[in-house]
Amino acid sequence: MSTSAAARHAPGRVPGEGTAARARGLTKAYGAGETAVLALDSVDVDIARGRFTAVMGPSGSGKSTLMHCLAGLDTVSAGQVWLGDTEITGLRERELTRLRRDRIGFMFQSFNLIPTLTAAENITLPMDIAGRKPDQAWLDQVIDTLGLRGRLTHRPSQLSGGQQQRVACARALASRPELIFADEPTGNLDSRAGLEVLGFLRGAVDDLGQTVVMVTHDPGAAAHSDLVLFLADGRIVDELARPTAERVLERMKRFDGARGTGAARED
Ligand SMILES: Nc1ncnc2c1ncn2[C@@H]1O[C@H](COP(=O)(O)OP(=O)(O)O)[C@@H](O)[C@H]1O
Ligand SMILES: [Mg+2]
């Protein structure tokens, strides 16, 4: 595929809307020589601004690597990544750190909260470290939307899994980032707590105008998104707009079948 064709037809592209993040020819190899692993194989993708994008694919297909490279948390082996209009591949570490801090929120599967700090302290920790004062009105809105008002003085051990993930969600949102990445944010939660977090991410997009990219294994979780990108062996092999759990499941089965017969689909 030529570069110009890729520019026009990258998965995730929604004509007429801005692009929050973009990659062209994004390639990531771990290790070298015989033992090298190609985690991402020349991925072209556009993440539409103000939309909720889900990323699915088998374990080891490159989902986390894609998130980390788009978020500037990991270096790339080849290709280019932009956040908004800024190309981040090639930025110096200091510039990248600042840009990540100002524009990106990241939610990990394991909530990564500091056990000795209260919920409120955990939420503002990244901003405290950066020496930035939170926008109190925004912070209040995030805390109330996430239903954390009555839990602010609790430590993580005094909170349920769902509450802890909501604190992690509030932390990702506290600096009002343009773009939120969530790597299996419901993976460690029971279904009710998972629904709370999904409802919030959906609300962050619909009510607060954020852009969300979420990795999930769960067709039901993916159904909360606007668009599902399917990864296999480090490539985006398909996408599904306005997903329902049934259609996602159907698509996943099709890939399992294709993988079984060795017939890889080229997009
Ligand atoms: N730090 C690393 N060192 C070596 N190989 C890695 C590293 N991180 C990921 N990989 C490999 O890259 C591939 C993609 O991994 P990952 O992005 O974590 O997949 P997923 O999130 O879809 O499960 C896998 O084969 C994985 O083993
Ligand atoms: Mg992963």
Side-chain angles (χ1 to χ4, degrees):
M1 193 186 270
S2 75
T3 308
S4 60
R8 276 181 271 119
H9 295 298
R13 182 111 184 122
V14 181
E17 290 190 20
T19 302
R22 187 154 62 101
R24 290 293 178 274
L26 171 53
T27 299
K28 177 69 179 180
Y30 290 106
E34 296 269 299
T35 57
V37 173
L38 194 56
L40 293 175
D41 185 4
S42 197
V43 169
D44 297 325
V45 67
D46 288 304
I47 302 296
R49 191 183 298 285
R51 304 289 296 275
F52 188 167
T53 303
V55 178
M56 302 191 80
S59 182
S61 58
K63 304 181 295 297
S64 294
T65 305
L66 178 62
M67 303 271 277
H68 293 163
C69 289
L70 289 177
L73 286 169
D74 207 347
T75 57
V76 309
S77 304
Q80 292 168 288
V81 176
W82 291 261
L83 286 176
D85 294 332
T86 310
E87 188 190 338
I88 62 167
T89 30
L91 276 190
R92 272 186 262 257
E93 189 55 39
R94 259 183 66 197
E95 298 166 308
L96 185 58
T97 303
R98 186 181 326 129
L99 189 135
R100 209 164 46 212
R101 191 185 69 202
D102 293 344
R103 290 166 63 172
I104 301 288
F106 210 101
M107 287 174 71
F108 299 89
Q109 179 172 359
S110 52
F111 320 125
N112 279 359
L113 300 177
I114 310 289
T116 52
L117 298 182
T118 65
E121 290 164 343
N122 266 289
I123 290 168
T124 56
L125 182 66
M127 303 192 73
D128 293 341
I129 290 172
R132 289 177 59 203
K133 237 180 111 53
D135 171 345
Q136 195 56 49
W138 169 254
L139 202 56
D140 284 338
Q141 188 181 348
V142 168
I143 287 166
D144 289 329
T145 311
L146 280 163
L148 289 169
R149 181 63 61 194
R151 296 286 181 277
L152 290 177
T153 59
H154 291 57
R155 291 183 207 290
S157 62
Q158 301 169 310
L159 299 171
S160 70
Q163 289 166 343
Q164 289 182 57
Q165 189 57 296
R166 279 187 276 146
V167 172
C169 191
R171 179 183 54 189
L173 281 162
S175 64
R176 199 165 195 163
E178 294 168 26
L179 186 49
I180 297 160
F181 291 97
D183 196 349
E184 300 192 47
T186 60
N188 282 325
L189 303 179
D190 63 42
S191 58
R192 200 181 124 248
L195 276 177
E196 286 174 9
V197 169
L198 289 166
F200 184 77
L201 291 175
R202 185 70 253 176
V205 171
D206 293 341
D207 307 331
L208 308 176
Q210 310 284 133
T211 303
V212 173
V213 186
M214 173 184 76
V215 169
T216 184
H217 280 116
D218 174 7
H224 290 255
S225 73
D226 297 307
L227 179 79
V228 184
L229 301 176
F230 293 93
L231 241 69
D233 300 326
R235 292 162 173 243
I236 295 178
V237 290
D238 205 355
E239 61 181 323
L240 178 63
R242 292 176 302 280
T244 62
E246 291 76 33
R247 291 174 65 218
V248 170
L249 199 58
E250 203 176 282
R251 205 63 71 96
M252 287 164 80
K253 280 184 188 152
R254 198 195 297 174
F255 290 134
D256 284 347
R259 282 160 67 84
T261 59
R265 200 184 135 173
E266 292 283 342
D267 266 354

